[in-house]
Amino acid sequence: MESHMDFYAAKAALDWLIELGADEAICDAPVNRYEAVATLPKPAVLQAGAEPAPKAAAAGAPIAVPDVDWVAVAAQAAASAQDLDGLRAAMAAFEGCELKRGARNLVFADGNPKARVMVIGEAPGREEDLEGKPFVGQAGHMLDKMFAAIGLGRSLEDAASIYVTNVMPWRPPQNREPKPQEIAMMLPFLKRHVELVNPDVVVLMGNISCQAVLGEKGITRLRGAWTKAFDTPALPMFHPAYLVRSPEFKREAWHDLLMVQAKLRETE
Ligand code: URA
């Protein structure tokens, strides 16, 4: 029993490392880098006879890391972005979100920035992380089919196009849900993203998008009714990944797509 547990725990740890990108063995035996650091020659300031090191740098003493208000940092960085390239650069330079360290790519957006419809998904999955583009896996194919049904697509020209992004630009490990503080620090970037694209309609795909933008979950209750996302008309819908798993809800998705189509015609 015990050895089974060890096996599964070790397998889970290995899977996790592979998810993070450590998918290659670079030497035959593992190296403990912490021990390697301990055997390095001491820097001059710590050698006998040298000036005593400042207290905080003494061996074992914790290094004081000032508290950073990452939501405020994000708000300032986002507000100073003048266009989408500037916003992408500001997000790429943002160091507050742990997810960035485990992700291969920043997943910014796809589609036509002049689109009338802006779709906001949750977070990149494996394929999106590898390609650096949102909605390219199975859920993405479903999303493309959904919008094609009302004559819209991300590679079409302006009036018939959609623009696609996510609440989180980095893939969470093991596709876990983003944490509230991770969402909070990326929200100023999302708000600026919507301001810069300035769509006629926002579609909020699934619970995480609704939680981030509307401050509430419960997609079954929220879907199919117009609301506002950053002052823009917004419609919550079932996430395409959910429709892949539960195709019986495609009828509701079709209803909501027709609502998007009607809104576009109304505001033409
Ligand atoms: N699911 C999402 O919400 N976004 C993606 O980009 C892919 C899957």
Side-chain angles (χ1 to χ4, degrees), residues 107 121-125 128 133-137 139-140 164-166 205 239 241:
V107 176
E122 301 184 353
E128 290 78 16
K133 266 194 200 176
F135 282 104
V136 292
V164 182
T165 189
N166 282 312
M205 288 300 189
H239 194 285

Side-chain angles (χ1 to χ4, degrees), residues 13-165:
L14 195 58
D15 287 344
W16 182 71
L17 285 170
I18 292 169
E19 289 282 326
L20 292 182
D23 53 5
E24 197 185 342
I26 54 168
C27 53
D28 292 335
V31 176
N32 184 338
R33 302 276 169 205
Y34 293 104
E35 273 170 15
V37 167
T39 59
L40 284 175
K42 279 185 186 167
V45 289
L46 297 182
Q47 281 169 11
E51 285 286 303
K55 268 209 171 90
I63 298 168
V65 178
D67 273 347
V68 176
D69 179 350
W70 287 111
V71 177
V73 173
Q76 200 175 25
S80 59
Q82 296 307 304
D83 53 26
L84 291 174
D85 285 345
L87 184 66
R88 181 200 282 264
M91 288 166 75
F94 182 68
E95 294 297 341
C97 185
E98 278 297 309
L99 298 181
K100 180 180 180 180
R101 299 188 221 308
R104 285 179 175 84
N105 279 303
L106 173 93
V107 176
F108 183 67
D110 192 27
N112 185 341
K114 294 192 183 136
R116 297 182 67 199
V117 178
M118 179 165 180
V119 177
I120 301 177
E122 301 184 353
R126 185 171 181 277
E127 283 90 347
E128 290 78 16
D129 181 40
L130 285 170
E131 271 198 45
K133 266 194 200 176
F135 282 104
V136 292
Q138 214 184 4
H141 294 143
M142 175 61 85
L143 179 134
D144 288 335
K145 279 210 263 178
M146 288 162 68
F147 283 96
I150 55 165
L152 303 181
R154 34 183 146 170
S155 55
L156 299 179
E157 90 286 3
D158 300 352
S161 64
I162 59 173
Y163 182 80
V164 182
T165 189

